[in-house]
Amino acid sequence: MSRTDVEKLLSELNEGRILTQQTFEGLDVEVYLDDRDASTFADEWMQSFERWAQATAVAEEEVLRACREQAFKQTLALTGEPELAGYVSDDLGLIGAALLHDMVNDIFVNKLLESYRQGRLPLG
């Protein structure tokens, strides 16, 4: 398990390097959420969730809870959109769970993380 990688992710969130105003600039939240739910993205997301998040005793991992909470609060503060904040929080929780399991070979989760690190919301 790579707790260090998850702690690095939390640090990046806390320092405002993952979620910024630019991440959400010009975003039509309804269209974005509809696109995520209707695309193959949603299927891939669920497969990764089943692979990683359910394999982790999420309730026992304080660092995962902290990542999810920070992502939710930052997204809500930047957008005022609680539904979007929930999606972003879920994404960061999934990324964190995969990091705990050294997910170096999970292409989908790596793409999620890369999107956020590049200041973009992920989409299929």
Side-chain angles (χ1 to χ4, degrees), residues 5 8-9 12 18 91-92 95-96 99 103 106-120 122:
D5 289 337
K8 179 182 175 197
L9 178 66
E12 289 176 287
I18 297 280
D91 285 352
L92 274 293
I95 292 166
L99 288 172
M103 59 67 175
D106 191 308
I107 294 167
F108 180 76
V109 175
N110 279 318
K111 285 195 307 189
L112 273 183
L113 180 55
E114 190 61 27
S115 287
Y116 280 110
R117 283 191 169 146
Q118 292 176 358
R120 295 181 288 109

Side-chain angles (χ1 to χ4, degrees), residues 6-119:
V6 182
E7 289 169 350
K8 179 182 175 197
L9 178 66
L10 180 57
S11 290
E12 289 176 287
L13 278 165
N14 287 335
E15 293 165 10
R17 292 189 285 144
I18 297 280
L19 301 170
T20 66
Q21 190 66 50
Q22 289 77 21
T23 305
F24 306 103
E25 214 165 80
L27 178 69
D28 184 323
V29 174
E30 281 187 45
V31 170
Y32 174 72
L33 295 179
D34 286 347
D35 286 349
R36 271 188 64 145
D37 288 341
S39 70
T40 56
F41 181 91
D43 294 336
E44 286 186 78
W45 197 99
M46 282 308 298
Q47 289 170 5
S48 288
F49 176 79
E50 289 166 4
R51 192 167 35 253
W52 301 114
Q54 293 181 346
T56 304
V58 176
E60 296 173 19
E61 292 297 340
E62 182 65 23
V63 68
L64 289 181
R65 186 202 57 74
C67 283
R68 289 178 51 92
E69 182 178 330
Q70 185 65 15
F72 185 90
K73 287 178 177 178
Q74 284 181 344
T75 303
L76 189 60
L78 290 167
T79 67
E81 297 282 347
E83 188 176 4
L84 177 62
Y87 276 70
V88 172
S89 173
D90 288 347
D91 285 352
L92 274 293
L94 174 59
I95 292 166
L99 288 172
L100 280 175
H101 292 282
D102 294 320
M103 59 67 175
V104 291
N105 294 323
D106 191 308
I107 294 167
F108 180 76
V109 175
N110 279 318
K111 285 195 307 189
L112 273 183
L113 180 55
E114 190 61 27
S115 287
Y116 280 110
R117 283 191 169 146
Q118 292 176 358

